[in-house]
Amino acid sequence: GQQVMQIPQYQHVQEGEDFTTYCNSSTTLSNIQWYKQRPGGHPVFLIQLVKSGEVKKQKRLTFQFGEAKKNSSLHITATQTTDVGTYFCVRPGGYQKVTFGTGTKLQVIP
Amino acid sequence: GAGVSQSPSNKVTEKGKDVELRCDPISGHTALYWYRQSLGQGLEFLIYFQGNSAPDKSGLPSDRFSAERTGGSVSTLTIQRTQQEDSAVYLCASSSAGGHEQFFGPGTRLTVL
């Protein structure tokens, strides 16, 4: 089946350390979205990447879309306790089935 | 309201009973999605509506699950003859069009005893 895998599944970091989650699709993506889900909450949209090789930044968060449009990454610089949650990459719907990645759960140790 | 709302927020039912979950999307959003999330797990896509039609029903786990959307707005997800493995949080999301940013509701936590 068409899968979207993320690694690592879990990551514990000390506050102030950097964090990266990687997303890999078995098929080429037209675009990719990233969402964050806080513990006990619902997913919240972070960003959408469309172009091959695209890099976008949101404060301490850097998102990349691979040249082949089959992978993506999210990097957080100098993590804070507010970064705690699960980060999902998502193959959006529309003309293709929505597929949420397996997710990376981030725990930040103060 | 400004966001996606879902009701009930919690539902406890007995095995074998039918349940109906409701989703009110953001006004004007044509796309609506249902997902299921088991404890500590990722999101499992169930169904997608564009307007009142469902071009993608591939995620419904069995024929006990059905969904409808009327007037291009409210949607209901019905689970017949509930089983214990149906226990999960059911999330609804809407977007202005298919493939756009999704706005999620708070979810309905379903517990089947």
Side-chain angles (χ1 to χ4, degrees):
Chain A
Q2 296 168 339
Q3 296 183 328
V4 181
M5 305 297 293
Q6 286 181 250
I7 56 170
Q9 187 176 3
Y10 301 97
Q11 183 80 60
H12 290 196
V13 299
Q14 287 288 140
E15 188 172 19
E17 291 182 339
D18 292 355
F19 158 76
T20 304
T21 172
Y22 300 91
C23 173
N24 292 284
S25 170
S26 57
T27 59
T28 302
L29 303 165
S30 58
N31 52 9
I32 192 163
Q33 295 173 346
W34 284 90
Y35 290 75
K36 176 185 178 181
Q37 185 175 23
R38 293 180 185 272
H42 57 269
V44 174
F45 175 84
L46 294 175
I47 208 161
Q48 176 164 288
L49 304 172
V50 179
K51 298 177 183 176
S52 168
E54 187 171 16
V55 178
K56 286 189 175 180
K57 292 191 176 184
Q58 289 180 348
K59 298 182 180 177
R60 294 178 295 104
L61 278 61
T62 301
F63 302 84
Q64 289 189 315
F65 201 8
E67 293 290 342
K69 301 184 77 173
K70 295 184 74 173
N71 57 76
S72 182
S73 65
L74 158 59
H75 179 81
I76 303 178
T77 303
T79 54
Q80 300 174 358
T81 54
T82 53
D83 296 325
V84 165
T86 302
Y87 293 84
F88 293 98
C89 61
V90 179
R91 184 180 69 178
Y95 296 103
Q96 57 188 1
K97 179 181 175 178
V98 177
T99 305
F100 266 70
T102 48
T104 295
K105 187 173 182 178
L106 173 64
Q107 185 61 254
V108 179
I109 305 163
Chain B
V4 178
S5 60
Q6 293 186 245
S7 61
S9 56
N10 279 284
K11 177 71 176 178
V12 180
T13 189
E14 293 179 344
K15 178 181 172 181
K17 300 279 189 180
D18 298 353
V19 295
E20 199 170 270
L21 312 180
R22 177 187 169 106
C23 172
D24 280 89
I26 292 172
S27 178
H29 278 192
T30 60
L32 186 147
Y33 308 81
W34 283 99
Y35 299 90
R36 178 168 73 173
Q37 187 171 34
S38 299
L39 187 63
Q41 301 299 308
L43 273 75
E44 177 188 4
F45 169 82
L46 297 179
I47 191 168
Y48 156 66
F49 286 94
Q50 179 58 43
N52 290 334
S53 64
D56 191 348
K57 298 182 181 180
S58 61
L60 293 176
S62 76
D63 59 7
R64 296 187 295 106
F65 289 71
S66 62
E68 65 175 13
R69 188 180 186 193
T70 55
S73 181
V74 172
S75 176
T76 54
L77 176 69
T78 302
I79 309 173
Q80 296 178 310
R81 305 181 302 281
T82 52
Q83 304 294 313
Q84 288 183 333
E85 60 262 29
D86 299 334
S87 296
V89 174
Y90 289 80
L91 289 160
C92 173
S94 70
S95 65
S96 57
H100 289 203
E101 171 186 356
Q102 294 182 45
F103 295 83
F104 281 80
T108 294
R109 182 176 297 278
L110 174 66
T111 303
V112 182
L113 302 177

